[in-house]
Amino acid sequence: MPKAPGSVGSGTGGATVLKRNQACHQCRRRKLKCDARRPCSTCVRSHKHARDHAQPGVNLPERPECTFDEVATTETPSTPSDSPKNRFERLETRIKELEALLSQKEQATSPDANPSSSSTLSSIQNSPASIQSVPSNSRPGSASTMNFPSDLESLLSPSNLDMNAQTVNPYFWNGNSHLIEGASARIDAPLLSSGMDVIWSHWPVNLPHPELIRHLVDMFFLFHPHASRLFHRANFIASLSYPPDHPDFPVAPVLHAICAVSAIYTAAGGPRTNAADFPYEGQFAQPDLPDTFAEQQASHAKETVEKYLNRGQHLVQCVQTYVLLTWYYWCHSKWVELFTCSGQSLRVAIPLGLNICPPFRSLLGSSPTMSIISPPRTPIEDEIRRNTFWLAYAVDRQHGSGTGWALSLDDDDIAQVFPVTMEQFELGIPVNYNVRQWCHVREAVLFHPPDITDSFTLYIKSTMLLSFVKNFNHRYRIKSNLGDARFLPARNFATQVYGDQPDIRSSPAFLELDQLLMSFRSSFPSNLKDPFRNGQVDTHLYTTFLTAHVSMILFHEPHANLERNCTSAAKILESARAILELIYAMWSTNYDIGLLDYFCSFCWYLAGQCFGRFLHAAQEAACVQQIDTLRAELDFVRMALSKMAERVPLSYRYQRMLDAVHLSLADGRPISTVSDQQLLANVSQASANHPDVAYFLKINNINPQP
């Protein structure tokens, strides 16, 4: 007779129906019947037969090998199947266990949690995340990305973990700026206990360990003056919690660039390069720096951002990547890379429509849209795009003010509103365009509505002054040659001698811009007149004050004549000493000057260069009193730059330029080394032949000694 379907013969009792995959692995493999006992009777018989007929010397286990799937029940087949009530009780128990584990994890990662450094160090060193490295396809012969450090030992040392986040701030005594390197090398305890035991299998190639990424991002937002304007801090840090393939996870070029920029604020990525160890030969020659962690990350950022551009993906983040790269190259005084990346950031921003706002668009009917990307979804995203453009604009104007090269984007092609305040940006408060200021309205530079103006707004307006001065100096000869009446100087035939060149300062364009520069310094709102208000350093406002004086120097320096009564010479000396007063004020605080905007080093250098020019003229006039004063002023600027150079290689280069000026003035002869001559000519704005300053000193009530 045929057997009943689904029955298994156990020898006694009624038949028991087994569930799917309830039989043991051995019976399923051998295709034998199984009673699902533990061990089952089939495996017991097979084991007994194997022991009875084993060859001499063969050791067999005492118990048979009989294994089951985890889903198999632990009860014997004689036991009836679980009731729905029992299954629900087991599920509820399991849910409570998972909720308890999740609660413990949230407590460990909350900001209030502060576990001991020893327990945190032990847990992280024993976790797979502390020893697993990200696959890297670094160049042959170069250090791997994860070699800084390989297992995060130096990053997670107890000396670096015992510092609270509140102790890491820029207000260290600037004579001990190296303390920040040790302080910022630690990772906060909540970060280490985040429970990230493994790295995502699809973690981007060449990116550092996720914990190191988070640490460098924290340092970036903590120390860089523009970090919280280029990105929305809360949203960006939250996006790091997503998987790498999540649409809101930051793209790899942005993270690579942040790692490169943040390397000067922390030793977590490895030792920083000391700029003094590498010579700077020639006008545009780059130092042969080692393949450091920052250099690798900058190279990876540059390679990956081009791939995204070619695919037309994440274009706004591509512009942000170029802005970050300009900061990195500027900090390390790499002029060629700085110029190309700065221009690339603005050129990419144009088709994205970041330089213009409705209703200003082209009259050409074939271009109905002014942007190739979709409109912003939130006010925060809208302001991020606007801030990205303005920061790219600022870098282009600042580094371009010290060169003779044309700017990357003309001011006439920009019709954008100024940024909102930091509070409005962080909270995502939309501000109507009807109450905001447009940059193409020139009078907006002098009017600052308090509801929509903060130090960053003034910072952007000050960079526009640099642009006005640059365009005037760069285009004057072209405009005057074309017969533009605004650029034609007035002629006074009663006093002008035949053959004398007309005074450019009498042209309407010069007088208008000169008045604008003088008015800007006195137009600041009452709450924005002191960059050291309430004992805090406002880096944006401090840079704005410096920029106002630098604009005056750049504007009047080509016309300064020290051998006669010259208002331009008086103005550049006044502005240089105003910059010196700002250096004095910063030096009197405990703020680390290595955390200032990179443009500050150029401002300080330009003031020192003016002092060098007047010092040379005073030596020619044998004015001892002025010689001592100007030499002391020049020496202090050199000392300030040397202190900033401990962190910023760009400052070291400017310091060398002033050292060359000081050396030539001290010896009384031109600089002897060719490299120093080329280096000085790279940024020097002064004339090669300095005239006598005797008459100029006389009109300032100082009598030169014979």
Side-chain angles (χ1 to χ4, degrees):
M1 293 181 63
K3 296 182 180 180
S7 64
V8 289
S10 60
T12 61
T16 301
V17 179
L18 296 182
K19 298 180 181 180
R20 182 179 179 84
N21 295 335
Q22 195 173 6
C24 70
H25 297 156
Q26 289 71 22
C27 290
R28 283 151 56 184
R29 184 174 63 252
R30 298 163 61 190
K31 300 186 183 303
L32 299 176
K33 295 179 181 179
C34 181
D35 57 3
R37 295 179 184 274
R38 296 178 182 253
C40 70
S41 57
T42 303
C43 291
V44 171
R45 290 195 305 269
S46 300
H47 181 69
K48 183 176 181 302
H49 181 271
R51 289 180 63 91
D52 293 341
H53 299 84
Q55 297 292 333
V58 177
N59 295 326
L60 295 176
E62 296 181 357
R63 295 180 58 83
E65 182 181 5
C66 185
T67 57
F68 294 82
D69 290 342
E70 295 181 358
V71 296
T73 58
T74 58
E75 293 81 10
T76 62
S78 60
T79 304
S81 302
D82 289 345
S83 64
K85 180 179 179 181
N86 293 337
R87 291 199 300 270
F88 292 153
E89 289 178 353
R90 287 203 308 271
L91 289 175
E92 291 177 353
T93 302
R94 183 57 178 164
I95 290 173
K96 291 180 180 180
E97 293 176 355
L98 294 175
E99 288 178 346
L101 292 174
L102 182 61
S103 176
Q104 294 176 3
K105 180 180 177 181
E106 290 177 350
Q107 292 177 2
T109 58
S110 63
D112 297 334
N114 188 18
S116 62
S117 60
S118 59
S119 62
T120 306
L121 178 63
S122 175
S123 63
I124 217 41
Q125 287 180 342
N126 295 330
S127 65
S130 64
I131 59 178
Q132 182 177 356
S133 61
V134 180
S136 175
N137 58 356
S138 300
R139 299 183 298 273
S142 64
S144 172
T145 302
M146 291 306 299
N147 288 342
F148 303 99
S150 60
D151 57 357
L152 301 181
E153 288 182 357
S154 63
L155 176 64
L156 308 179
S157 61
S159 62
N160 293 331
L161 289 172
D162 59 2
M163 300 190 62
N164 191 273
Q166 281 74 13
T167 64
V168 183
N169 60 75
Y171 291 92
F172 286 94
W173 166 241
N174 52 21
N176 295 318
S177 60
H178 62 278
L179 292 178
I180 292 185
E181 180 172 341
S184 61
R186 62 97 185 100
I187 296 182
D188 298 337
L191 171 62
L192 295 176
S193 58
S194 60
M196 187 179 292
D197 294 331
V198 294
I199 299 178
W200 296 99
S201 59
H202 47 292
W203 185 254
V205 179
N206 296 322
L207 269 184
H209 192 280
E211 298 292 351
L212 182 56
I213 284 284
R214 187 175 290 270
H215 170 64
L216 292 172
V217 169
D218 289 340
M219 295 299 101
F220 175 66
F221 282 106
L222 185 61
F223 291 128
H224 199 280
H226 307 310
S228 297
R229 288 289 186 166
L230 186 62
F231 303 99
H232 189 272
R233 178 172 184 170
N235 291 354
F236 189 88
I237 293 180
S239 66
L240 294 176
S241 302
Y242 297 128
D245 56 353
H246 193 279
D248 291 335
F249 187 81
V251 296
V254 168
L255 295 178
H256 282 304
I258 289 178
C259 291
V261 172
S262 303
I264 68 170
Y265 305 126
T266 174
R272 296 199 310 266
T273 302
N274 186 5
D277 296 337
F278 300 90
Y280 293 82
E281 300 293 343
Q283 185 172 358
F284 301 109
Q286 308 299 326
D288 187 15
L289 300 178
D291 197 12
T292 61
F293 172 79
E295 285 289 318
Q296 287 187 16
Q297 293 303 309
S299 298
H300 294 323
K302 202 170 183 180
E303 293 172 1
T304 53
V305 72
E306 292 179 357
K307 297 179 181 179
Y308 280 100
L309 278 179
N310 294 336
R311 294 195 296 259
Q313 298 175 346
H314 305 288
L315 296 179
V316 175
Q317 294 190 60
C318 289
V319 179
Q320 292 174 323
T321 301
Y322 279 118
V323 173
L324 290 165
L325 287 175
T326 57
W327 291 341
Y328 172 77
Y329 291 132
W330 195 10
C331 174
H332 291 79
S333 65
K334 293 193 170 185
W335 306 115
V336 177
E337 291 91 340
L338 168 62
F339 185 77
T340 55
C341 281
S342 177
Q344 186 79 341
S345 64
L346 288 177
R347 297 307 300 174
V348 176
I350 293 175
L352 307 187
L354 303 186
N355 63 313
I356 199 168
C357 275
F360 303 102
R361 63 176 60 186
S362 174
L363 298 177
L364 190 62
S366 60
S367 57
T369 179
M370 57 186 177
S371 176
I372 62 175
I373 58 177
S374 58
R377 296 168 295 178
T378 63
I380 291 180
E381 185 178 354
D382 186 28
E383 294 303 325
I384 286 177
R385 295 182 180 184
R386 184 171 293 109
N387 290 348
T388 300
F389 168 77
W390 280 122
L391 288 171
Y393 174 91
V395 175
D396 182 68
R397 267 48 183 178
Q398 289 173 341
H399 85 83
S401 62
T403 69
W405 304 329
L407 300 175
S408 301
L409 181 63
D410 197 293
D411 288 331
D412 292 338
D413 294 323
I414 303 174
Q416 183 62 270
V417 293
F418 288 112
V420 296
T421 64
M422 189 65 186
E423 180 182 5
Q424 294 166 337
F425 174 58
E426 289 182 337
L427 299 179
I429 301 175
V431 181
N432 196 301
Y433 285 173
N434 295 331
V435 299
R436 300 180 68 168
Q437 292 182 300
W438 293 92
C439 68
H440 59 273
V441 180
R442 196 153 185 169
E443 291 75 12
V445 178
L446 301 178
F447 296 96
H448 320 290
D451 296 338
I452 56 175
T453 301
D454 64 357
S455 58
F456 184 69
T457 310
L458 295 180
Y459 174 84
I460 296 300
K461 291 182 178 181
S462 68
T463 59
M464 294 187 66
L465 294 182
L466 290 174
S467 184
F468 297 158
V469 173
K470 172 78 173 184
N471 288 332
F472 180 88
N473 292 336
H474 191 70
R475 300 175 178 175
Y476 176 81
R477 299 186 186 278
I478 300 176
K479 295 289 186 179
S480 61
N481 182 263
L482 293 175
D484 191 334
R486 297 180 63 252
F487 290 84
L488 294 179
R491 294 181 177 272
N492 190 344
F493 296 100
T495 59
Q496 186 174 346
V497 182
Y498 178 78
D500 289 350
Q501 293 294 327
D503 192 354
I504 297 176
R505 292 172 294 180
S506 62
S507 62
F510 185 96
L511 296 174
E512 177 185 346
L513 184 53
D514 190 31
Q515 182 62 37
L516 181 66
L517 296 178
M518 291 187 296
S519 301
F520 179 74
R521 291 185 292 178
S522 59
S523 66
F524 294 173
S526 58
N527 62 322
L528 295 174
K529 289 185 177 294
D530 184 9
F532 308 99
R533 189 177 183 183
N534 300 325
Q536 300 290 325
V537 177
D538 189 334
T539 55
H540 285 137
L541 190 58
Y542 181 81
T543 310
T544 300
F545 274 72
L546 290 175
T547 305
H549 299 302
V550 165
S551 300
M552 187 66 72
I553 294 176
L554 294 175
F555 190 52
H556 281 276
E557 192 278 335
H559 316 287
N561 191 342
L562 306 187
E563 64 182 0
R564 57 184 180 182
N565 190 358
C566 179
T567 57
S568 292
K571 286 185 177 181
I572 65 173
L573 182 60
E574 177 187 3
S575 298
R577 283 178 169 160
I579 293 175
L580 183 62
E581 290 296 328
L582 290 170
I583 301 177
Y584 287 151
M586 179 60 69
W587 195 267
S588 63
T589 68
N590 59 352
Y591 190 87
D592 183 359
I593 61 178
L595 304 179
L596 291 172
D597 189 285
Y598 303 142
F599 187 61
C600 294
S601 58
F602 173 76
C603 299
W604 294 1
Y605 161 76
L606 196 61
Q609 182 202 39
C610 289
F611 293 140
R613 178 176 179 181
F614 279 90
L615 176 58
H616 177 78
Q619 289 176 341
E620 293 292 329
C623 182
V624 178
Q625 182 180 356
Q626 279 294 310
I627 289 175
D628 295 339
T629 301
L630 292 168
R631 180 176 286 114
E633 292 171 336
L634 176 59
D635 289 342
F636 191 83
V637 174
R638 292 171 54 233
M639 182 174 61
L641 285 173
S642 66
K643 182 58 63 178
M644 185 183 291
E646 294 177 0
R647 186 175 301 276
V648 182
L650 175 65
S651 299
Y652 170 74
R653 194 157 193 174
Y654 285 136
Q655 176 201 346
R656 281 203 60 195
M657 296 176 186
L658 285 187
D659 289 346
V661 174
H662 184 270
L663 179 64
S664 65
L665 294 175
D667 295 342
R669 59 178 182 274
I671 304 171
S672 57
T673 59
V674 177
S675 60
D676 284 340
Q677 289 179 351
Q678 295 173 342
L679 192 63
L680 186 60
N682 184 21
V683 186
S684 178
Q685 302 292 330
S687 174
N689 298 321
H690 301 306
D692 191 359
V693 78
Y695 187 81
F696 178 78
L697 297 175
K698 287 182 179 180
I699 65 173
N700 285 276
N701 298 324
I702 301 175
N703 295 322
Q705 296 183 1

